[in-house]
Amino acid sequence: MLQIAEYISRHYKGKLVEVGIGYNWDVALMLKSLGFDVVATDLKEIPIDLEFYVDDITKPNIEIYRDASLIYSIRPPPEIVPYILKVARSVKADVIVRPFGNEFYNGKLINYKGERFYRWRCND
């Protein structure tokens, strides 16, 4: 999954927000090591060396996401993807979602060095 971090590092700058980080920290920590301002959220407190907020994307604290160039999620439950997109549109951030399995979304399917994920441009 580090291909996703590489893709993000080549296409985005500034603040990035990972929704539902759980205990899969590889992408966020790699982006932080590359100098990005990475913010992580989850439904419960996660002990991680990142700026972190307990947040429910279905009832978000929009201030967490403001000024992000990208909101991304690695293997989210499919039912939260529409909420991620809604938040991204409200703050004009792009979205990347790495599906859990074979879910199909209406975003642009990207295959980057063997890693597949969907991208939406919401910054217009």
Side-chain angles (χ1 to χ4, degrees):
M1 279 208 231
L2 296 181
Q3 297 94 324
I4 294 173
E6 181 182 321
Y7 178 89
I8 291 169
S9 73
R10 291 177 181 219
H11 293 90
Y12 294 93
K13 60 184 176 181
K15 180 179 175 181
L16 312 171
V17 180
E18 181 167 342
V19 174
I21 195 165
Y23 292 95
N24 185 4
W25 309 336
D26 295 345
V27 172
L29 292 176
M30 181 176 190
L31 289 167
K32 181 182 176 185
S33 76
L34 293 171
F36 285 90
D37 175 15
V38 182
V39 176
T41 71
D42 206 293
L43 288 172
K44 62 182 187 286
E45 189 73 36
I46 303 289
I48 186 169
D49 185 27
L50 289 173
E51 184 177 346
F52 178 85
Y53 298 94
V54 173
D55 191 59
D56 180 349
I57 194 71
T58 68
K59 297 178 228 113
N61 173 353
I62 205 70
E63 290 305 313
I64 295 169
Y65 306 91
R66 199 168 310 284
D67 299 323
S69 64
L70 176 70
I71 299 171
Y72 71 96
S73 190
I74 308 296
R75 299 180 177 166
E79 61 269 17
I80 73 166
V81 172
Y83 294 99
I84 295 170
L85 290 168
K86 182 178 179 184
V87 168
R89 287 183 188 107
S90 74
V91 298
K92 298 186 178 350
D94 284 1
V95 173
I96 287 179
V97 169
R98 170 33 167 103
F100 185 76
N102 293 320
E103 300 91 349
F104 178 78
Y105 297 108
N106 66 351
K108 180 176 182 176
L109 180 61
I110 307 280
N111 187 330
Y112 184 79
K113 297 186 177 182
E115 186 66 52
R116 64 180 179 77
F117 50 90
Y118 290 90
R119 185 195 68 213
W120 292 262
R121 299 267 189 211
C122 302
N123 59 8
D124 299 328

